[in-house]
Amino acid sequence: MRTLYLDAFSGISGDMFIGALLDLGVDFKKFETELAKLNVVGYHLHAQRIAKSSIYGTDFDVHLPETVHKDEGFIEVTPAHHHDHPHQHADGHTHSHGDEVRHLKDIEAIIDHSDLSDYVKTNAKQVFTEIAKSEAVVHELPLSDVHFHEVGALDSIVDIVGAFIALELLAVDQVYSSELTDGSGFIKVAHGMMPVPVPAVMQMRVGSAIPIKQNPEIHTELITPTGMGIVKTIVDQFCPIPDNQTITKVGYGFGNRETPQLNALRVMLCEKKN
């Protein structure tokens, strides 16, 4: 049995997860080749081994035509009667409703019509469903009314699909995790000051036993909705590394936010002892 263990001492996001798996040895060229099977354009990938706090790891990012803040609510929640007016999206940009938006069913269709494996398709759609359901509850919207703005959706599609491509390439049998760590206080988004954990992440805790502790020294979010959706979908058990597992390799995937401590997801590949 090959086990992946997540040491989420500084939270988790989609790009941190992919960066960490690349750092474990997932071949970047194979990763790019598989991601091309999604058959979408408008992005390019960046992955580089760098040092933060003198610790080497992999910095992964999805570069898009315009700047989008990772996971800061790519959900559009403007009521229907405002459709004739430009407004501020949660990505921090003002768009008119002439811009393309994507519903959950649109994103599912992109994934279904791709040449990706069934494993990647099934799990990627599950994460999108988790995020959309949580946002629908938070904003009191029917699931069908939750909109993903074009650019924010593209970023998230690549991150979420990429996470399962990397996981499949790593060929693990099970995933364990430590308790997750989030920051504290409030963060500013387009809808105002939001508490940490952000509402979508808190909503995704409903019906789960995902353990989260908050670090009072970190005044920002560390767990993004994408990261939480991935965790909820893949983690089999939250526990210390079992005694019957031997660590064979350690990797680090860096986060984008500057924090007082090392902002990375540490992952370990483990093999069952004979």
Side-chain angles (χ1 to χ4, degrees):
M1 291 284 287
R2 198 178 203 199
T3 301
L4 176 68
Y5 188 85
L6 311 180
D7 184 9
F9 61 82
S10 190
I12 184 169
S13 66
D15 51 352
M16 289 168 77
F17 182 76
I18 294 172
L21 267 55
L22 292 171
D23 206 54
L24 279 180
V26 169
D27 185 278
F28 185 63
K29 290 296 182 187
K30 287 183 181 177
F31 176 77
E32 280 188 309
T33 300
E34 287 300 308
L35 199 50
K37 293 179 182 179
L38 187 56
N39 300 320
V40 299
V41 295
Y43 71 91
H44 70 273
L45 307 178
H46 170 85
Q48 184 180 8
R49 285 209 92 226
I50 61 171
K52 289 192 177 183
S53 302
S54 296
I55 305 297
Y56 272 86
T58 297
D59 182 46
F60 173 82
D61 201 7
V62 181
H63 288 187
L64 300 166
E66 62 178 279
T67 303
V68 176
H69 195 289
K70 288 278 186 189
D71 281 309
E72 200 170 89
F74 43 79
I75 303 297
E76 178 180 13
V77 295
T78 303
H81 62 270
H82 287 164
H83 277 192
D84 294 329
H85 305 287
H87 69 278
Q88 189 78 8
H89 283 264
D91 60 14
H93 294 84
T94 300
H95 304 287
S96 71
H97 276 279
D99 293 344
E100 184 182 352
V101 295
R102 288 178 172 137
H103 296 79
L104 177 61
K105 62 179 173 53
D106 299 322
I107 293 171
E108 289 177 333
I110 290 169
I111 294 170
D112 283 333
H113 296 150
S114 72
D115 300 313
L116 296 162
S117 72
D118 288 342
Y119 168 84
V120 173
K121 287 179 180 179
T122 299
N123 285 286
K125 288 191 294 181
Q126 179 62 35
V127 173
F128 262 108
T129 300
E130 289 284 355
I131 296 170
K133 281 182 176 178
S134 69
E135 295 283 2
V137 171
V138 166
H139 301 295
E140 286 199 0
L141 286 172
L143 190 61
S144 60
D145 284 1
V146 175
H147 292 177
F148 297 74
H149 182 262
E150 181 182 18
V151 178
L154 175 60
D155 177 64
S156 299
I157 291 168
V158 174
D159 263 352
I160 292 168
V161 169
F164 291 101
I165 288 171
L167 201 55
E168 188 172 47
L169 289 172
L170 200 59
V172 298
D173 301 297
Q174 57 191 4
V175 182
Y176 292 163
S177 179
S178 68
E179 66 179 346
L180 309 184
T181 301
D182 208 345
S184 60
F186 292 79
I187 62 165
K188 187 175 183 180
V189 299
H191 298 294
M193 297 297 289
M194 295 293 170
V196 177
V198 295
V201 167
M202 186 60 80
Q203 182 60 36
M204 274 190 270
R205 294 185 75 180
V206 173
S208 80
I210 298 173
I212 295 179
K213 68 176 180 181
Q214 289 183 260
N215 184 340
E217 304 299 319
I218 307 294
H219 301 142
T220 187
E221 67 170 341
L222 297 177
I223 303 170
T224 67
T226 293
M228 186 66 166
I230 291 169
V231 165
K232 196 168 181 181
T233 301
I234 69 169
V235 174
D236 299 296
Q237 191 174 340
F238 294 90
C239 59
I241 298 174
D243 292 337
N244 66 348
Q245 297 283 332
T246 299
I247 298 171
T248 59
K249 194 166 186 181
V250 179
Y252 293 85
F254 292 127
N256 288 326
R257 296 182 186 276
E258 291 301 321
T259 60
Q261 64 179 42
L262 179 67
N263 186 15
L265 174 66
R266 179 161 57 192
V267 296
M268 285 82 100
L269 265 184
C270 305
E271 300 280 356
K272 194 169 184 178
K273 293 177 183 176
N274 294 325

